[in-house]
Amino acid sequence: MFRRIGNTVVRHPVWTIVAWLIAAVAIVATAPSLPSNSDESSFLPKSYESIKAADLQQKAFPSAFTPSAIALYQRTDGGKLTAADQKDVARITTELGKKHIDQVQKVVPGQPSKDGRYTMTLVQMDSKNAGQPKQADAAKVLRDDVKQLAKGTQLDVKLGGSAAQALDQQDSSKRGQALIGIGTFAIILVTLLIIFRAPILAVLPLILIGLVSAIANGLIAYATKLFDLQANSSISSILIVVLFGVGTDYFLFLIFRYRERLRAGDEPKEAMINAVARVGEAIASAAGAVIIAFLALILSTLGFLKQMGPALAIAVGVTLIAGLTLIPAVVSLIGPKVFWPSKSWRQEPDNARFAALGRGVQRRPVLTAVASGLVLLVLSLGTLGFNATFDLASGSMPKTKESMVVQDEMQKAYSAGAAAPTDVYLSSADGKPLDKTAFDAYAKKLGAVDGVASARMAQVNKEGTTADFTVTLKYEASTDKAIDAVGRVRDVAHSDAPDGTEAVVGGMSSIYKDIDTAVNHDYRTVFPVAALLIMVILGLLLRSVVAPWYLIASVGLGFGATLGATVWIFQEGQGHSGLMFMLPVIMYLFVVAIGTDYNILMIARLREEAREGREPREAAGMALRHAGPTVAAAGFILAATFATMMLAGNSLLTEMGFAVSFGIAVAAFVMAMFFTPSLTALIGHAAWWPGHGDRAEEGAAGAASGSIGSGRDSDEDRDQAAHDPSVRRG
């Protein structure tokens, strides 16, 4: 099949390129804009208690005041607010309300702090649009207006709250995307120039993957709208890296084999056809493993991950098609001039370093397997200290952003939980009015819960069937202590609810509590499903039942080593309270799925060498000699491109960038180069049971297999193999 694909696109390169250009124009011109949502509650399904509480609040208290933005005032000299300052605050609050800014429903004065140094203006926005870009736009107008109104006073005013956080997150994301994009381009360009010393080859993948990126983004926008998925600004940053990182991987897989075939004496067009035939199945299997792992995120209960899965799967799917069609068409059209001005492509290098590494694996597979396995195992011990944090807003932007400064100052000036109180909604089970005489006792029980600063009955709806009890925690909403405390509040709220009533607990801490539950569900569901499906892909590729088990186990060790190293560096080394809650899921999918690419490439080459009649140990050594440079180049570029996420300046992308780049480096330079080939050499022919895919065909000694996974060579391939130094019998 892959030979037919290669033959078609190489014989008709112009039509292939034209088809891609037409598709790009049509999709980009008609695709809807990709929406973005920064409201954490939108990540959860309706069945969770915090979402039920939010729905009940909308029905029972539609006009309830929930601030979306908070203007925090203090004197420029840091002293206590004077009577004149209080008058200025009152004036600013009144004038701000008269401006009738879009999305703004109410502007009211807030409570001063106990030390008299701070006071607030609270702004309520349309709750139906919480987390949407239009509220970020409203926050920008508010921030400009409130600062303008404070001019000429002794007041320093900053705007915080969820709408302001959405605005700052948006700005931070744009800056991060720009830095990531520039960093990714620079790394790919410089690395390819060093590897090939050919400017055309260095620029070509950037141009082609840029075209693929435009198509992928358009298709993602279509899918997001069609299936009503949630989007988040962080996805765009991840997409840049996935498209260019994975796209460059597949480009390298193909170009290295194309160069090898040219050195073997193939005519240029035939060299590309043979290159697609030989690595097409490996590329397709590698992409299939990534796509399936990403699609496993559909099983997630979090809307953010549900959207990320299909988005990344679409991106990799388009990249795969480009790797098998667009890239071969363009390179075959240019021909060997693609390597200009370098002439080194004409002669096979000694690959002395990789040949030496291959000999080491061949001679000492036990030592290699034990040493590389121990490295992974020791690093994995760090996972025992893993702790999750849930504040997505502060995790996705620097602490210096204005909304983050407001959040920190409010925690110091007020009760830490005052900025995001917890609400307990007590409702009548039979629709009759509640017994108000039980309210005081119920509020006292809620106030007595460990971790609660205060609890009071705030309001009752018009029908008297639902009461809202405001519970202020002692801790900031996203901390572990607040999440534990809200769990205790739930227990008391449910167990001590008066007869004939039902209670639900809402608020940000309650949302984080449910996100924690959802993530734990995803660990138990997404991880094993993704691993099982990747094993199926490996089994189909290798026609083996044995190999997929130790391959997925090695990748699992790589995941453990990556998470452990990330815990040690960020939690132990930098003193972070924990890692972003979604990091292990994302890390698992990237490290397991993309890391499997290198295992697939290495073991496919190992099988190719074994089919030439080589014994398992010799085949492992030769595979490392010939596939090692490709894995090293691809692994370095992909790890470096993911590392550019650390330039974004926020903890979420910094942690993600380090973790995924470290995991890919481990996958390429530890697993694929040492652990996998040494284990395969030790297990021997049994690794390929029951298919015996490593056995040489009778009469095939000295001939290369025509394509990965084919059981019999074509006459054309056997003729070509006689000239190919990389596949001669040892």
Side-chain angles (χ1 to χ4, degrees):
M1 180 180 80
F2 295 100
R3 176 168 290 279
R4 287 197 296 273
I5 292 172
N7 189 66
T8 300
V9 299
V10 169
R11 301 303 178 195
H12 307 284
V14 175
W15 286 112
T16 303
I17 296 166
V18 168
W20 271 92
L21 290 173
I22 291 172
V25 171
I27 291 170
V28 172
T30 59
S33 60
L34 188 66
S36 180
N37 197 329
S38 59
D39 180 17
E40 284 92 340
S41 66
S42 66
F43 299 164
L44 291 166
K46 300 291 185 184
S47 58
Y48 281 83
E49 182 169 348
S50 59
I51 307 304
K52 289 179 179 178
D55 291 342
L56 178 59
Q57 185 253 319
Q58 286 290 319
K59 294 174 184 175
F61 308 102
S63 60
F65 192 92
T66 304
S68 300
I70 300 170
L72 184 67
Y73 305 89
Q74 68 177 127
R75 283 184 59 84
T76 52
D77 60 9
K80 290 188 177 183
L81 296 170
T82 65
D85 296 330
Q86 296 286 5
K87 284 183 180 180
D88 285 330
V89 170
R91 174 185 57 80
I92 293 170
T93 302
T94 302
E95 292 187 21
L96 208 56
K98 290 178 180 178
K99 287 183 176 290
H100 302 295
I101 298 168
D102 181 46
Q103 295 297 307
V104 173
Q105 295 178 331
K106 287 182 184 178
V107 181
V108 300
Q111 294 293 321
S113 61
K114 290 181 180 178
D115 61 8
R117 296 177 186 274
Y118 294 87
T119 191
M120 300 181 289
T121 292
L122 306 178
V123 181
Q124 183 182 25
M125 295 187 188
D126 187 351
S127 59
K128 294 177 183 177
N129 296 318
Q132 298 298 325
K134 59 179 67 177
Q135 294 208 347
D137 295 340
K140 182 174 176 57
V141 176
L142 274 169
R143 183 172 282 168
D144 292 340
D145 286 351
V146 77
K147 289 182 185 298
Q148 186 65 37
L149 290 169
K151 278 187 176 179
T153 70
Q154 298 299 311
L155 296 171
D156 176 45
V157 58
K158 300 182 184 73
L159 192 76
S162 58
Q165 287 176 354
L167 172 64
D168 289 341
Q169 190 176 345
Q170 191 180 85
D171 293 341
S172 180
S173 177
K174 287 177 182 176
R175 175 182 174 275
Q177 284 180 43
L179 289 171
I180 289 168
I182 293 168
T184 299
F185 269 61
I187 286 167
I188 293 174
L189 190 67
V190 171
T191 308
L192 291 180
L193 276 172
I194 292 171
I195 293 171
F196 295 108
R197 295 186 290 281
I200 297 175
L201 271 181
V203 174
L204 194 59
L206 297 175
I207 296 171
L208 297 181
I209 298 166
L211 178 66
V212 171
S213 175
I215 294 174
N217 276 294
L219 293 175
I220 290 165
Y222 273 122
T224 301
K225 185 175 181 180
L226 182 63
F227 297 105
D228 193 28
L229 300 169
Q230 299 292 342
N232 185 275
S233 54
S234 297
I235 291 177
S236 299
S237 301
I238 297 169
L239 271 176
I240 293 171
V241 178
V242 169
L243 282 162
F244 283 91
V246 173
T248 305
D249 263 13
Y250 299 160
F251 180 84
L252 286 171
F253 290 179
L254 195 67
I255 293 299
F256 270 95
R257 189 54 75 100
Y258 174 59
R259 186 176 66 177
E260 186 177 312
R261 296 310 309 160
L262 287 173
R263 287 170 175 165
D266 287 2
E267 180 271 329
K269 288 189 179 295
E270 198 60 35
M272 181 54 75
I273 293 171
N274 286 332
V276 175
R278 286 168 180 262
V279 297
E281 188 175 4
I283 291 175
S285 300
V290 178
I291 290 168
I292 282 177
F294 286 158
L295 286 177
L297 283 175
I298 292 173
L299 300 174
S300 170
T301 50
L302 293 173
F304 169 72
L305 294 176
K306 272 181 180 282
Q307 197 272 347
M308 179 185 282
L312 296 178
I314 289 169
V316 175
V318 177
T319 307
L320 165 63
I321 297 169
L324 297 177
T325 59
L326 180 62
I327 293 173
V330 173
V331 174
S332 65
L333 197 62
I334 300 171
K337 291 179 182 177
V338 77
F339 296 104
W340 177 89
S342 173
K343 296 180 180 179
S344 62
W345 64 271
R346 296 176 181 175
Q347 296 180 343
E348 183 189 8
D350 293 335
N351 281 345
R353 291 178 183 174
F354 291 98
L357 291 174
R359 288 192 297 271
V361 170
Q362 180 179 337
R363 292 170 184 167
R364 302 179 183 84
V366 175
L367 178 63
T368 306
V370 170
S372 54
L374 274 176
V375 169
L376 299 174
L377 196 59
V378 169
L379 287 173
S380 297
L381 294 175
T383 59
L384 299 175
F386 171 73
N387 187 46
T389 59
F390 297 88
D391 189 357
L392 191 59
S394 62
S396 56
M397 70 184 100
K399 292 290 187 184
T400 53
K401 284 290 186 180
E402 187 170 324
S403 58
M404 291 295 97
V405 174
V406 170
Q407 179 173 291
D408 291 342
E409 289 183 351
M410 283 191 66
Q411 288 178 35
K412 296 171 186 174
Y414 297 84
S415 169
T422 295
D423 289 287
V424 177
Y425 298 102
L426 190 68
S427 297
S428 170
D430 56 10
K432 294 179 181 179
L434 294 167
D435 179 9
K436 295 182 180 181
T437 60
F439 287 174
D440 287 344
Y442 190 59
K444 284 181 181 178
K445 289 178 181 177
L446 293 173
V449 174
D450 183 27
V452 172
S454 65
R456 62 184 178 84
M457 202 288 290
Q459 57 185 330
V460 180
N461 67 342
K462 292 179 181 179
E463 295 79 11
T465 55
T466 301
D468 174 13
F469 292 81
T470 299
V471 177
T472 303
L473 303 179
K474 295 178 180 178
Y475 319 107
E476 194 275 320
S478 65
T479 60
D480 290 340
K481 289 181 177 180
I483 292 168
D484 291 341
V486 88
R488 294 189 290 271
V489 169
R490 282 184 177 182
D491 291 340
V492 171
H494 297 157
S495 62
D496 291 342
D499 292 339
T501 65
E502 296 173 348
V504 288
V505 181
M508 288 310 303
S509 294
S510 186
I511 289 171
Y512 292 136
K513 176 72 174 175
D514 286 341
I515 288 177
D516 187 26
T517 303
V519 168
N520 288 330
H521 164 271
D522 291 350
Y523 290 162
R524 296 190 301 269
T525 306
V526 176
F527 282 21
V529 168
L532 181 63
L533 292 175
I534 290 173
M535 284 180 66
V536 170
I537 290 281
L538 291 170
L540 292 173
L541 169 68
L542 303 173
R543 281 71 165 173
S544 167
V545 172
V546 177
W549 284 99
Y550 69 83
L551 287 175
I552 203 70
S554 72
V555 177
L557 264 179
F559 165 76
T562 303
L563 181 57
T566 308
V567 167
W568 275 335
I569 287 177
F570 289 97
Q571 285 187 208
E572 306 299 330
Q574 297 190 9
H576 290 195
S577 59
L579 303 178
M580 196 54 61
F581 69 91
M582 67 181 75
L583 188 63
V585 176
I586 293 171
M587 187 192 305
Y588 176 83
L589 292 166
F590 279 105
V591 174
V592 170
I594 297 178
T596 302
D597 283 9
Y598 305 123
N599 266 345
I600 287 175
L601 187 70
M602 183 62 73
I603 204 162
R605 185 61 188 243
L606 193 154
R607 182 182 61 182
E608 197 174 326
E609 299 293 340
R611 282 178 170 174
E612 293 309 303
R614 296 184 173 91
E615 287 302 309
R617 293 191 180 195
E618 185 187 2
M622 291 299 290
L624 182 51
R625 176 187 174 183
H626 293 297
T630 310
V631 170
F636 172 79
I637 288 177
L638 191 60
T641 51
F642 271 103
T644 61
M645 295 171 72
M646 298 173 71
L647 300 173
N650 66 68
S651 59
L652 171 61
L653 292 180
T654 298
E655 291 171 2
M656 194 184 299
F658 170 82
V660 178
S661 61
F662 183 87
I664 288 168
V666 166
F669 296 102
V670 180
M671 289 190 300
M673 284 197 188
F674 298 107
F675 197 62
T676 296
S678 59
L679 274 181
T680 306
L682 285 172
I683 297 171
H685 295 298
W688 309 96
W689 184 87
H692 303 299
D694 66 323
R695 298 302 174 94
E697 294 287 338
E698 189 176 344
S705 59
S707 62
I708 297 170
S710 62
R712 190 172 298 277
D713 303 325
S714 66
D715 292 337
E716 178 185 29
D717 286 339
R718 285 197 289 270
D719 290 340
Q720 291 161 355
H723 302 287
D724 189 347
S726 72
V727 293
R728 288 198 295 268
R729 280 186 72 175

